[in-house]
Every structure is written in C-alpha cells, then in structure tokens.
Amino acid sequence: EIVMTQSPATLSVSPGERATLSCRASQSVSSNLAWYQQKPGQAPRLLIYGASTRATGIPARFSGSGSGTEFTLTISSLQSEDFAVYYCQQYNNWPPKYTFGQGTKLEIK
Amino acid sequence: EVQLVQSGAEVKKPGESLKISCKGSGYSFTSYWIGWVRQMPGKGLEWMGIIYPGDSDTRYSPSFQGQVTISADKSISTAYLQWSSLKASDTAMYYCARPITMVQGVLYDAFDIWGQGTMVTVSS
C-alpha cells in the first residue's frame, strides 16, 4: 500500500500570508495526486488534480506542484474561508487503493 | 446540476444490518465509477472501494474487503454501501464520490463530485 504523509499536521498562518503544505508518497505516484479541502460539517472539495491542475471554480491563489513522491499545495494569500483541513490523495494504482494523507489543519495565527 | 444525494443519518445497534444509499443525478450514472470514503469522528479520510454501475465491477480496499458490500442499481441511479453485522467501530461519516472522468475500466482520477455524507452511529 502506498502511504501518504502530510506535513505539518497543523499550520498557523495569518490572513494574507502564504501557506505551503507538503505531501510525500512512499513510492512514486507519478502526477496522480489530488488535494482536497474540508471544512467542519462539509464534504471534501476537490482543489487540485494531476498534481497541478486546478479543479473547476477553484481560485488562482491555490496552486499545486510536484511529481513522483514529493508534492506541495500553495495558497498564495490566505483568505478567511481558506482555514480548513487539507488532504492529499494518490490515485496511481489499479485495482484502486486511493490512499489519503492524514491531513493538515490550516488555522488562523 | 450534477449531484450525489445520500440517505439520512442512521442509528443502529451492534450486530444489526444496514444499507445506505447514494443517488446520482444530472449525468449518465452508468458511465462513471462511484467511490466510497469513510471518516471516523475527528479523523481523516479512508478509501473504501469503488463500483462501476454500468456493469457492477466492484473493487475494495484491502482494509474493507469482507467488511462491507458495495452495490448499485442502475435502474434508479443509486449506489449502496451495506453491512451485515455492524460494530461500534463502524461509527463514522460515509461519503460517496464521483470521479472527474467518464471511463469504463482502469481509472486513474480524482473525485470532484461528493455526496453530503451519511452519518452512521452504532451504539448499544
């Protein structure tokens, strides 16, 4: 099983500043990596797929990068609505075992 | 509008059976895989398995194989997740989700349409 490890577990950032979240895979997942945002009481929301492609309707302040085993989600200028938990997910195997990272909680500093 | 609508919250006792549902609308239900994801209270997301409603091809994560059954009724555009004997450890929110891409067979894709979730509580 591919293990996804996110860091840090919690990130404290002030509104307007940049946030950088990391995700590492235990083996290469090529570019088959997605990022999701989840707010309390809500379903996950797809932000990024293919490691760097923004999903429909996602603001340009969200960007993804990386390939292979190292990935980054960057939020360029944090808005109040961006404080949430973020998960990475790999979808590089078949039969599918699309494992998630344990999540990074982005909180207001 | 493309959406997945899940059945309502359930409260069950250990040992009882349960089947929760996920109804798709606004798209060709038989042409997209549907996945299921578990989220235990205060915890992260766990991939459970996936079904292709067009031919009922079903794949399970090893952690959930034999623990749950995923099925679909394409005549009513609905996917299901069921348990034959619930345990307290099955207490969780369960989400269904649809991938971005319409594809039969091997799927390498993220999931952009999510149901609202079904909370399952198992307690004596």
Side-chain angles (χ1 to χ4, degrees):
Chain A
E1 177 181 298
I2 300 174
V3 177
M4 307 301 292
T5 303
Q6 292 185 239
S7 61
T10 304
L11 183 61
S12 299
V13 182
S14 300
E17 293 190 340
R18 175 187 296 254
T20 302
L21 290 68
S22 296
C23 176
R24 172 177 293 178
S26 61
Q27 65 189 75
S28 177
V29 298
S30 186
S31 294
N32 292 322
L33 190 284
W35 289 94
Y36 299 87
Q37 176 194 67
Q38 189 179 33
K39 297 180 180 179
Q42 296 185 16
R45 174 194 182 197
L46 178 65
L47 300 174
I48 300 286
Y49 64 95
S52 60
T53 302
R54 277 190 303 277
T56 302
I58 301 304
R61 64 180 182 274
F62 291 91
S63 63
S65 63
S67 66
T69 62
E70 301 282 344
F71 301 89
T72 300
L73 174 70
T74 301
I75 311 170
S76 60
S77 178
L78 279 163
Q79 308 296 303
S80 57
E81 62 266 30
D82 299 335
F83 293 96
V85 179
Y86 291 83
Y87 295 95
C88 62
Q89 180 199 30
Q90 67 80 18
Y91 49 91
N92 193 55
N93 44 23
W94 191 266
K97 305 176 188 70
Y98 296 157
T99 44
F100 292 90
Q102 80 279 18
T104 290
K105 182 179 181 180
L106 181 57
E107 63 178 27
I108 301 174
K109 186 174 182 180
Chain B
E1 180 191 5
V2 175
Q3 58 180 351
L4 297 173
V5 178
Q6 297 185 231
S7 49
E10 301 275 1
V11 179
K12 293 289 192 179
K13 296 185 184 325
E16 292 186 333
S17 62
L18 177 64
K19 192 174 191 177
I20 63 175
S21 67
C22 169
K23 183 174 177 60
S25 62
Y27 72 98
S28 175
F29 184 75
T30 55
S31 299
Y32 288 80
W33 291 85
I34 291 280
W36 286 94
V37 174
R38 182 175 79 176
Q39 188 168 39
M40 300 176 77
K43 301 299 183 182
L45 304 171
E46 300 175 88
W47 178 259
M48 300 179 72
I50 195 168
I51 187 166
Y52 188 78
D55 62 7
S56 292
D57 184 3
T58 308
R59 312 298 178 111
Y60 294 92
S61 168
S63 300
F64 292 92
Q65 180 84 48
Q67 307 304 308
V68 297
T69 300
I70 295 171
S71 61
D73 184 340
K74 59 186 179 182
S75 70
I76 54 172
S77 300
T78 301
Y80 301 98
L81 179 65
Q82 69 181 88
W83 296 259
S84 59
S85 181
L86 286 160
K87 303 183 280 287
S89 57
D90 293 317
T91 295
M93 181 72 82
Y94 294 88
Y95 294 101
C96 61
R98 195 207 77 170
I100 301 169
T101 308
M102 179 174 66
V103 61
Q104 183 176 10
V106 176
L107 176 74
Y108 295 107
D109 206 5
F111 290 73
D112 66 336
I113 305 296
W114 290 70
Q116 82 278 19
T118 296
M119 184 66 207
V120 174
T121 303
V122 184
S123 175
S124 55

